[in-house]
Amino acid sequence: MKIMNCPLNGPRNISEFIHGGELKPMPNPTTCSDREWADYVFYSDNTAGVITEWWMHVASSYWFLAERHTVTDEILRTFDPQEIFQERIEFAVEEKRS
Amino acid sequence: MNRHVSPENIQTMPTRLPAPMGSLINRQQPITFQFEGTNYHGVEGDTLASALIANGRYLLSRSFKYHRPRGPLTMAGQDANTLVQLPDEPNVLADTHPLSQGLAVTGQNYSGSLDHDSDMKLGKFSKFMPVGFYYRSFYKPKGAWKFWESLIRKKAGLGRYDLNATGSYHDKAYLFADVVVVGSGPAGLKAALTAAEGGAKVLLVEQQSQLGGALTYARFDDAGVRAGQVREALIPAVEAHVNIHVLCKATCNGWFTDNFLPVIQGTRMYKVRAQECIVAAGAFDQPAIFRNNDLPGVMLASAAQRLIRHYAVRPGKRAVVLTGNDDGYLAALDLHEQGIEVAALVDMRAGPVDTRLTQTINQHGIPLHVEHTVFEALHDKTLHHVTGVDVRRITRRGEVADDSLTLECDLLCMAAGYMPMYQLLCQAGGKLTYNDDVAEFSLSNLPKHLYVAGSVNGLHDLDQVLQDGVIAGTQALHSLDLPATEAAPLVGAPKQVNFPWPIFAHPKGKEFVDFDEDLQIRDIINATRHGYRDVQLVKRFSTVGMGPSQGRHSALPTARLVADATGRTVSETGVTTARPPFTAETLSHLAGRSFDPFRVTPLHQRHLQLGAKMMPAGDWQRPAFYPSATSGHLDRDRCMQEEAIHVREKVGLIDVSTLGGIEVRGPDAAEFVNRIYTFGFLKQPVGRTRYAAMANEQGVVVDDGVSCRLGENHFYVTATTSGLARVYQSMLQWNAQWRLDVDIANVTSAYAAVNVAGPLSRKVLEKVCTEVDLSPEAFPYLELREGKAGEAPARLLRVGFVGELGYELHVPSRYGEYLWDLLMKAGEEFGIRPFGVEAQRLLRLEKGHVIIGQDTDGMSHPSEIGMSWAVNRKKPFFVGRRAVDILDEQPAKRRLVGFRLPATSAKPLEGHLVLEGSDITGNVTSCEYSPSQDAIIGLAYAGADKATPGSHITIRVEGGDEVNAEVVKLPFYDANNSRQEM
Amino acid sequence: MATLEDTLTTKRTPLYHLHQANQPNATGWQHLGGYAIKAGQDETQVEPTTVAPACGLTDLSALARVGLRGKKAATILSEKHYQLPAAPNQALRQEDGSLVAKLSASEYLLLGSFADDGERISRDELAWQAAERAHRLPDAYLLPRQDTHAWLALTGSHASDVMAKLCGVDLSPKAFAPGHVAQTSVARANAIIINASQADLSCLYLLVDSASACYFWPILLDAMQEFEGKELNIMALRHHHPA
């Protein structure tokens, strides 16, 4: 069984984690086109290379991010999401969509 | 030398070779056992096979296809020739199964008796059963296979299962080590010692019951003293080392990512996790391929040596040794030394690498034939044992001269070369490359933290093997950042031990490449002629390597034959993929103690005491219904109806502790809840509850619950029993991005919750919650209060899932049972009765309430299920908002509708289809007989055009009948909701 | 000594019925922290020298415990004179015998002491609850660990061997020293494991979902069998906890 290094709990069996999907930016839901939203929700680039993914350590309910190479399945780095998400995210009051 | 062997009475205790031969046996402990109805004597430490051979019994099994007599080939559990039947277990390897007192063993896979198998005539038809026979012969005409299958299965079966077998205790345990060493031969011992000396915690795994590997049975020098010296030097040191944990009789059955190794020992499977892994598993001795190389009495040279050194058993009386390396010479010396006449040493080469060996052999008077081979093993008409050999001069690769020399013998030892024990390493991603110089496979491309040492690494000189162990141990220490002195590099070139082409086709065939599957040289060649050029395809077509020994002896000759037949190199051809497990493992090992977590509510004991029928809900146990109050029977429909009527008429009590509970606290609590759920929550008043539906980013409704605002900055939200984990995880994931100032805590297990429902519920509660004003004016529908139930602090919610006046009470779990008892006692005078999940589902169906997950699927968006009212379109964002908007702008395809059928109609079941002509437009999601409506009512998806009340939908019910149901307005019961709001 | 009826309380620990079923005629019931607990067959059995086998399992769920989380959690705890572990997944024994475990950057778990029957933690929790209701506990959030989690103690030199049959984390004393905390999976369910060994008593605390306590208890006993593990009652263990 693969081992993943949790930034909070250290190296653990991969069975202690759940996968939370690839990290991808949400398009502005009030201004993006239907196609852009569908692309965000339903499509994956299926990159052959390093991608960033959400993982959660179940026993501690701790979400973090992992950089993983999809070809070798090597986990290169795991880190707290605060590294990327530092600011409080606001959603603007709805604007008229064209 | 005694050339006159007197016949022995096999029924008496057979004699054994003198000590120190027999390192595994205890001669003082005789054991009596039975094979095929005959009684035999063995001793403690024997395997079934060693004891039988000691008694002169070689024929242990019949081959899979042709039912040819077979005897031990490897004496190491590496072949299928020793599969026997125990009373309670088939397919047991006789050469590894320990002998026990009174054990009654039989052969398997024969008609008649093991000695006289009438199916053996199949061998005569082998010309008509060519390779791929099954695939090619029985499939025409269409349907023919059905006829042939049962006949073939009967003929092909191996062994009998004990259908009355009972389970036995098996378990699993983790075992942690800095370094795991697989194999305790010279390389493994040295590697383990090196790593342990450097301070690493070492686990040494050995398949046999003693340490030493080849040191325990093989001969490394002409004087025969080297093995003992090395054993003396290493084994006591290993056994005494505090850093080394030794596991004997343990098989490492696979390699998984990051050195995760299943190691089976007895009834336990260890899940070994090691930082570093050294595979020193050794190499498989290889047979030569010639006619009748499968006869009992034909065995690997190492098998004969194991019989001698491990069991003090004389493998035969007159031996011929066929070799392609110097080890065959050493084996011949072993036989000679133990009083077995060596009729000839037949060397396929021009002579030994170590020329002194020729001299030694000559000194002992062993006739030596170089550049010769055994072309055929001879037998009498029974084929029960080898009786001699036809020895011929090799003229060209794989070809022999016409002149033949016939020698009598009852033992033929083969030493054609070695195949590295590549399985674990290939599972780890290692690549096998064939080195033409030494005619041997070698391994490369290993992942980090995995090392090889010894003969598996292509080294066969004992000094090199020992040094290779030091090197591997040192590499592991370096990787662990432990101090290590630099290991000296290997000295000298690798010793060649493989004869490049020990394959001699015979015009009459029966030169077995794969003993398990009865495959001959021509079967492999023919497979390539059928166009199966890839070794993987050859395997699937011919079944080579598919038997119990999994290619341990057939992989190398198959690779050579396929390469030769297809004009490629052996490297290009390669061998088939090695997958775990390495050896057969039982399902009980895989299962171990099965862990199936379950959860019970604080009220569980009360449900059991009341005789409730429990049902699983997610990982929880919930009461489905209680015994009927009128009959005491546990009949689902009847109990459910009675309980439902009781709630409608009087008052009922249901355990809803399994509802998920999440505390959302902090300055951004309202903002957070507002983003997560579809409704508006910013302005939800303190002291009020509000329905909360959750969508995912695809706009699909995935969960629902009730949002309770306990304070300006404090929400308590409920989630469905099975949805809670997902809801909680998704909340945390969202806030890992949003960074709102809020704390999200799963407090599900912290609360016991009950719903008191029915027109008399207020009266019951008035006796229990004396400090709370329960009047409709002071505590109206959808309000929420914090107060006390008896002594217990409680959250009181006026919500109405079942559509009657009702209260949900949430108290700390510790008070759960107290609350239940209090309510049951207080409600006694009002006839309070518990009701279960089934009644609750019926009651809510009457109210048209949707259960997420039952009445919704992976496509259901809010407007499809009539929940547009629960979507706030004024707020800037909620999860799924954009998708909900997009979906709403598209023409509706289906709707969830309520339908009604007369009570006498056939009752649709959940999942039954809704049809429009021949098209499927939806399905039934809930359906039940409703006592309050005296009708069958249900929810179903139907075409959007059928959503108007008064329309009719066609439902195909059990048996294919169709019923026509009327679409009706929801709810079915109490349309103006007066009962829940009273 | 008191019978069960004498000690009927409004509060129940998650394993109350399981203990009762295992010992239907026990006379040794008494109160601890307002819970009825099994104290032993009779007092004479509570012999410190004989009650600690190489492998014992004790239900400590009657002792107080609470969680506190948030930006101000550390400050609030320090004000109450709790010594805090330096890093997440560490635990620190307090002078009075209670234990503080740090579970994340801002989350703490407080476990009550035998010495005062968990009185200090109970008292502090009540005070914090009152403060929370009065909005005087900003940036700190109480976690009801007493109700969400059962608290078990696995004692004796074989504790880590028992756990190796249930858990994929190396809990041997060398890898998991006293004061270490592991939040992990035990027998496929979540658990917090704390090495609470002190003096000569090896001890692993297990905090498991209170709703799963009935699942864990027999599984632990099963895993303990080969080490001749025994159920220990809380009073017996108390003798071994110098506090």
Side-chain angles (χ1 to χ4, degrees):
Chain A
M1 191 180 339
K2 204 173 172 59
I3 283 181
M4 184 179 241
N5 188 38
C6 171
L8 174 63
N9 297 286
R12 292 296 173 81
N13 286 344
I14 197 87
S15 59
E16 291 200 17
F17 301 89
I18 58 165
H19 182 245
E22 197 176 335
L23 173 73
K24 44 183 178 177
M26 183 195 288
N28 185 328
T30 52
T31 57
C32 73
S33 68
D34 288 1
R35 180 165 288 278
E36 282 169 317
W37 187 260
D39 190 61
Y40 162 67
V41 166
F42 292 113
Y43 290 92
S44 166
D45 290 338
N46 201 18
T47 312
V50 177
I51 58 168
T52 306
E53 294 169 315
W54 284 101
W55 285 87
M56 189 184 104
H57 183 247
V58 175
S60 57
S61 297
Y62 172 72
W63 281 102
F64 58 95
L65 292 163
E67 286 170 7
R68 185 176 67 90
H69 199 292
T70 55
V71 179
T72 62
D73 198 31
E74 191 182 355
I75 298 161
L76 306 163
R77 189 169 83 96
T78 55
F79 56 99
D80 191 278
Q82 226 161 337
E83 224 178 85
I84 289 183
F85 299 98
Q86 294 165 353
E87 297 292 319
R88 176 190 163 111
I89 290 180
E90 299 288 352
F91 291 94
V93 178
E94 186 168 10
E95 293 160 30
K96 274 268 174 340
R97 281 201 299 274
S98 52
Chain B
M1 196 192 306
N2 175 18
R3 284 172 178 272
H4 304 280
V5 180
S6 59
E8 288 176 18
N9 181 354
I10 57 166
Q11 303 298 329
T12 60
M13 175 69 97
T15 55
R16 299 279 175 134
L17 296 167
M21 299 304 113
S23 61
L24 293 178
I25 58 165
N26 175 6
R27 294 161 207 258
Q28 314 315 320
Q29 286 296 327
I31 287 177
T32 310
F33 69 104
Q34 213 177 56
F35 184 66
E36 284 282 304
T38 305
N39 289 319
Y40 294 98
H41 299 289
V43 294
E44 191 181 77
D46 260 330
T47 63
L48 274 167
S50 68
L52 285 168
I53 291 180
N55 285 281
R57 170 98 208 180
Y58 286 75
L59 199 177
L60 299 186
S61 74
R62 289 277 168 173
S63 74
F64 179 61
K65 205 156 79 185
Y66 303 136
H67 292 253
R68 288 171 65 92
R70 291 282 165 83
L73 174 69
T74 62
M75 279 310 291
Q78 307 294 4
D79 61 274
N81 286 359
T82 71
L83 290 181
V84 294
Q85 173 84 45
L86 298 191
D88 57 353
E89 194 180 353
N91 302 324
V92 170
L93 290 167
D95 57 346
T96 57
H97 194 81
L99 198 63
S100 57
Q101 187 62 40
L103 192 64
V105 187
T106 57
Q108 55 185 30
N109 193 38
Y110 56 73
S111 291
S113 76
L114 183 58
D115 290 340
H116 305 283
D117 180 358
S118 59
D119 279 346
M120 199 181 147
K121 61 184 182 288
L122 286 172
K124 300 246 189 297
F125 298 103
S126 66
K127 276 203 183 85
F128 309 106
M129 295 167 73
V131 66
F133 173 68
Y134 295 105
Y135 301 127
R136 287 159 49 212
S137 305
F138 298 108
Y139 282 93
K140 284 174 185 172
K142 194 165 180 255
W145 176 246
K146 277 200 183 325
F147 167 75
W148 288 109
E149 188 185 6
S150 66
L151 287 172
I152 290 169
R153 293 235 184 271
K154 202 170 153 195
K155 290 292 177 214
L158 287 176
R160 297 178 312 274
Y161 274 101
D162 176 8
L163 297 177
N164 300 315
T166 49
S168 53
Y169 191 100
H170 284 67
D171 68 1
K172 299 183 192 173
Y174 277 89
L175 203 51
F176 303 94
D178 296 331
V179 180
V180 62
V181 179
V182 180
S184 77
L189 290 170
K190 203 72 184 160
L193 269 177
T194 306
E197 289 297 331
K201 204 174 106 185
V202 177
L203 178 71
L204 179 59
V205 180
E206 171 53 52
Q207 227 178 344
Q208 305 300 323
S209 58
Q210 60 182 354
L211 295 179
L215 294 172
T216 66
Y217 60 83
R219 186 180 181 113
F220 292 87
D221 54 343
D222 48 3
V225 293
R226 192 75 209 283
Q229 290 164 351
V230 177
R231 280 202 312 269
E232 280 307 302
L234 298 181
I235 293 174
V238 163
E239 284 172 340
H241 208 291
V242 288
N243 280 352
I244 302 178
H245 178 180
V246 173
L247 277 187
C248 280
K249 293 190 197 168
T251 305
C252 178
N253 229 10
W255 184 96
F256 294 92
T257 308
D258 292 331
N259 291 335
F260 191 58
L261 313 167
V263 174
I264 295 172
Q265 188 193 42
T267 55
R268 174 168 292 172
M269 179 187 277
Y270 284 106
K271 297 185 276 185
V272 172
R273 177 70 84 178
Q275 305 282 322
E276 314 293 327
C277 176
I278 298 170
V279 173
F284 298 118
D285 207 358
Q286 293 292 299
I289 316 297
F290 53 87
R291 178 167 165 81
N292 294 332
N293 60 344
D294 65 327
L295 290 173
V298 181
M299 64 180 73
L300 298 174
S302 59
Q305 289 173 304
R306 286 177 200 262
L307 282 166
I308 292 169
R309 290 228 165 73
H310 289 167
Y311 307 105
V313 168
R314 191 176 280 119
K317 298 174 189 97
R318 192 164 196 264
V320 168
V321 178
L322 172 64
T323 190
N325 56 33
D326 289 4
D327 292 349
Y329 286 68
L330 298 168
L333 290 175
D334 272 344
L335 294 168
H336 178 77
E337 213 168 84
Q338 296 305 322
I340 297 149
E341 182 191 348
V342 181
L345 171 59
V346 181
D347 190 344
M348 295 180 275
R349 306 168 300 172
V353 177
D354 182 351
T355 46
R356 287 170 308 170
L357 284 169
T358 310
Q359 217 180 336
T360 316
I361 290 292
N362 287 337
Q363 279 166 6
H364 287 97
I366 299 171
L368 174 64
H369 305 269
V370 295
E371 289 184 316
H372 275 66
T373 187
V374 170
F375 185 51
E376 178 179 0
L378 306 172
H379 55 79
D380 63 14
K381 65 181 194 318
T382 64
L383 270 74
H384 281 191
H385 205 92
V386 62
T387 57
V389 287
D390 173 353
V391 175
R392 306 224 182 168
R393 188 169 56 80
I394 301 174
T395 53
R396 291 171 58 184
R397 195 187 76 157
E399 291 177 17
V400 294
D402 290 336
D403 302 338
S404 94
L405 167 68
T406 305
L407 295 169
E408 278 183 30
C409 68
D410 66 349
L411 172 67
L412 172 53
C413 297
M414 304 177 284
Y418 295 92
M419 182 72 178
M421 192 94 77
Y422 59 92
Q423 285 80 353
L424 293 179
L425 299 158
C426 288
Q427 288 166 25
K431 295 273 172 293
L432 276 174
T433 351
Y434 191 74
N435 182 345
D436 284 304
D437 294 342
V438 290
E440 194 178 356
F441 276 105
S442 68
L443 282 141
S444 58
N445 200 40
L446 295 177
K448 288 179 202 163
H449 311 294
L450 179 59
Y451 317 92
V452 281
S455 59
V456 66
N457 199 22
L459 299 170
H460 300 277
D461 172 79
L462 186 54
D463 290 315
Q464 288 183 337
V465 165
L466 289 166
Q467 186 54 23
D468 204 32
V470 175
I471 292 170
T474 308
Q475 285 174 321
L477 286 173
H478 283 315
S479 179
L480 289 166
D481 277 333
L482 287 169
T485 48
E486 216 46 58
L490 292 175
V491 181
K495 180 171 140 190
Q496 168 144 8
V497 292
N498 277 19
F499 186 71
W501 195 264
I503 302 171
F504 300 93
H506 192 284
K508 291 196 213 153
K510 296 286 188 299
E511 334 85 332
F512 288 96
V513 174
D514 187 327
F515 298 91
D516 303 6
E517 300 283 342
D518 274 350
L519 293 168
Q520 311 162 46
I521 292 175
R522 66 158 182 261
D523 293 324
I524 307 298
I525 307 274
N526 285 345
T528 65
R529 294 206 178 128
H530 280 293
Y532 299 103
R533 293 167 52 84
D534 186 289
V535 73
Q536 303 283 2
L537 296 177
V538 169
K539 172 179 176 177
R540 278 148 188 80
F541 183 70
S542 68
T543 70
V544 66
M546 285 192 183
S549 54
Q550 289 285 294
R552 285 160 174 69
H553 318 105
S554 59
L556 184 57
T558 301
R560 285 169 171 162
L561 285 166
V562 172
D564 190 57
T566 58
R568 289 174 301 171
T569 65
V570 173
S571 277
E572 283 169 342
T573 310
V575 299
T576 55
T577 312
R579 295 186 182 84
F582 172 64
T583 60
E585 59 195 10
T586 64
L587 291 175
S588 46
H589 275 119
L590 293 179
R593 313 297 295 157
S594 59
F595 296 128
D596 193 7
F598 62 86
R599 304 167 84 193
V600 297
T601 76
L603 305 172
H604 188 68
Q605 196 63 27
R606 290 292 179 261
H607 306 320
L608 297 185
Q609 286 160 348
L610 287 163
K613 169 81 181 167
M614 303 303 286
M615 62 181 263
D619 48 5
W620 292 92
Q621 290 290 314
R622 297 196 68 186
F625 47 87
Y626 298 84
S628 161
T630 51
S631 67
H633 288 135
L634 265 176
D635 172 80
R636 175 190 176 269
D637 287 353
R638 182 168 176 174
C639 297
M640 171 179 71
Q641 308 285 348
E642 283 181 10
E643 288 170 17
I645 292 166
H646 197 79
V647 172
R648 293 266 179 258
E649 291 176 354
K650 287 182 174 159
V651 59
L653 179 64
I654 182 170
D655 178 3
V656 293
S657 307
T658 61
L659 276 180
I662 298 172
E663 302 268 25
V664 182
R665 291 169 290 184
D668 283 329
E671 172 66 21
F672 179 79
V673 173
N674 205 44
R675 290 184 188 188
I676 287 289
Y677 293 101
T678 60
F679 228 166
F681 296 92
L682 289 179
K683 292 175 185 157
Q684 178 181 354
V686 172
R688 287 276 288 189
T689 65
R690 184 164 286 181
Y691 177 74
M694 176 185 267
N696 62 14
E697 289 193 293
Q698 289 84 43
V700 173
V701 182
V702 289
D703 204 69
D704 68 350
V706 173
S707 154
C708 308
R709 193 163 198 173
L710 293 164
E712 199 56 41
N713 296 336
H714 185 180
F715 286 74
Y716 173 62
V717 292
T718 63
T720 61
T721 301
S722 51
L724 179 270
R726 207 174 52 237
V727 168
Y728 180 57
Q729 287 162 3
S730 136
M731 283 181 169
L732 294 173
Q733 192 181 9
W734 280 117
N735 208 43
Q737 302 162 67
W738 297 339
R739 297 279 155 196
L740 297 179
D741 188 0
V742 65
D743 185 83
I744 307 149
N746 176 6
V747 294
T748 303
S749 305
Y751 287 95
V754 295
N755 191 357
V756 189
L760 302 178
S761 56
R762 183 178 285 124
K763 289 196 183 308
V764 177
L765 237 62
E766 277 167 353
K767 289 176 67 182
V768 169
C769 305
T770 49
E771 293 167 19
V772 182
D773 185 350
L774 295 165
S775 66
E777 302 74 29
F779 190 0
Y781 185 58
L782 295 184
E783 291 274 304
L784 133 87
R785 295 288 176 270
E786 287 184 274
K788 281 202 152 179
E791 291 175 31
R795 291 171 177 173
L796 281 70
L797 287 55
R798 254 205 81 176
V799 289
F801 193 46
V802 300
E804 298 293 338
L805 171 68
Y807 302 84
E808 216 168 88
L809 280 79
H810 295 235
V811 299
S813 296
R814 65 188 95 163
Y815 295 108
E817 214 167 77
Y818 164 76
L819 177 71
W820 179 272
D821 294 346
L822 199 65
L823 289 167
M824 288 295 279
K825 196 153 193 291
E828 208 171 347
E829 62 179 299
F830 308 107
I832 195 167
R833 283 183 47 195
F835 64 105
V837 176
E838 296 283 14
Q840 185 192 38
R841 284 188 182 165
L842 167 59
L843 292 163
R844 68 87 207 181
L845 177 60
E846 291 182 332
K847 285 299 290 178
H849 290 312
V850 167
I851 294 179
I852 306 297
Q854 173 166 338
D855 302 306
T856 65
D857 54 32
M859 307 276 279
S860 310
H861 53 92
S863 53
E864 246 183 27
I865 57 172
M867 268 198 197
S868 291
W869 60 269
V871 178
N872 180 306
R873 295 175 183 283
K874 295 199 182 102
K875 59 184 184 180
F877 175 84
F878 63 82
V879 176
R881 165 72 196 262
R882 185 60 201 275
V884 168
D885 285 350
I886 293 170
L887 287 164
D888 279 354
E889 281 166 23
Q890 294 176 352
K893 288 200 183 71
R894 58 171 197 172
R895 295 273 183 221
L896 187 66
V897 302
F899 68 85
R900 185 186 181 103
L901 283 163
T904 51
S905 163
K907 194 181 95 174
L909 303 177
E910 287 156 23
H912 278 166
L913 298 177
V914 175
L915 301 173
E916 179 99 48
S918 59
D919 294 335
I920 297 166
T921 54
N923 59 283
V924 173
T925 61
S926 293
C927 186
E928 211 55 82
Y929 168 75
S930 160
S932 73
Q933 307 301 301
D934 188 26
I936 290 167
I937 60 169
L939 297 173
Y941 284 99
D945 55 323
K946 299 288 188 184
T948 332
S951 307
H952 281 79
I953 55 173
T954 305
I955 301 169
R956 187 153 72 196
V957 296
E958 205 77 347
D961 294 339
E962 290 178 1
V963 296
N964 197 261
E966 186 192 354
V967 173
V968 296
K969 195 173 179 320
L970 294 173
F972 299 98
Y973 174 80
D974 186 28
N976 55 10
N977 294 331
S978 59
R979 294 185 65 86
Q980 66 195 27
E981 289 170 24
M982 68 189 223
Chain C
M1 193 171 257
T3 64
L4 178 61
E5 283 67 34
D6 297 333
T7 59
L8 273 183
T9 58
T10 56
K11 300 194 277 185
R12 295 273 185 273
T13 57
L15 290 167
Y16 171 84
H17 286 287
L18 194 141
H19 297 321
Q20 199 191 357
N22 289 351
Q23 214 177 347
N25 303 316
T27 51
W29 290 84
Q30 62 179 120
H31 279 282
L32 183 73
Y35 296 90
I37 57 151
K38 191 172 72 173
Q41 292 286 4
D42 59 63
E43 264 174 306
T44 56
Q45 280 204 340
V46 189
E47 279 293 328
T49 48
T50 58
V51 288
C55 185
L57 180 66
T58 313
D59 179 12
L60 300 182
S61 300
L63 272 179
R65 58 203 168 278
V66 69
L68 196 66
R69 181 160 74 186
K71 281 178 278 189
K72 287 267 176 66
T75 315
I76 290 166
L77 291 171
S78 298
E79 281 167 7
K80 293 272 189 184
H81 310 294
Y82 289 98
Q83 306 291 311
L84 305 183
N89 289 316
Q90 290 182 5
L92 206 58
R93 180 74 64 180
Q94 310 291 301
E95 265 176 37
D96 67 339
S98 43
L99 195 86
V100 177
K102 183 169 181 171
L103 300 181
S104 74
S106 62
E107 179 173 349
Y108 298 88
L109 168 64
L110 279 61
L111 299 170
S113 165
F114 278 113
D116 64 351
D117 287 350
E119 192 51 45
R120 176 189 182 192
I121 306 282
S122 300
R123 203 175 48 234
D124 286 342
E125 184 184 13
L126 280 174
W128 287 323
Q129 279 172 347
E132 190 176 49
R133 268 194 299 277
H135 311 292
R136 285 187 290 99
L137 202 68
D139 293 329
Y141 306 97
L142 283 171
L143 298 171
R145 296 286 190 178
Q146 183 95 23
D147 290 296
T148 54
H149 284 74
W151 177 6
L152 313 177
L154 188 57
T155 48
S157 51
H158 286 299
S160 60
D161 300 326
V162 172
M163 290 307 291
K165 294 162 83 173
L166 308 170
C167 175
V169 177
D170 186 357
L171 300 173
S172 63
K174 206 175 147 193
F176 191 73
H180 281 206
V181 176
Q183 302 174 66
T184 182
S185 173
V186 175
R188 295 185 55 221
N190 293 336
I192 302 168
I193 306 168
I194 302 173
N195 187 336
S197 304
Q198 48 179 343
D200 57 346
L201 184 71
S202 297
C203 177
L204 295 176
Y205 285 160
L206 267 75
L207 287 116
V208 301
D209 178 8
S210 56
S212 314
C214 289
Y215 161 72
F216 275 104
W217 188 264
I219 278 184
L220 283 163
L221 288 177
D222 175 72
M224 289 160 63
Q225 240 174 33
E226 69 175 292
F227 309 105
E228 284 161 14
K230 289 189 174 59
E231 287 182 47
L232 281 188
N233 66 60
I234 193 166
M235 293 305 157
L237 190 64
R238 188 182 202 168
H239 282 274
H240 285 266
H241 261 274

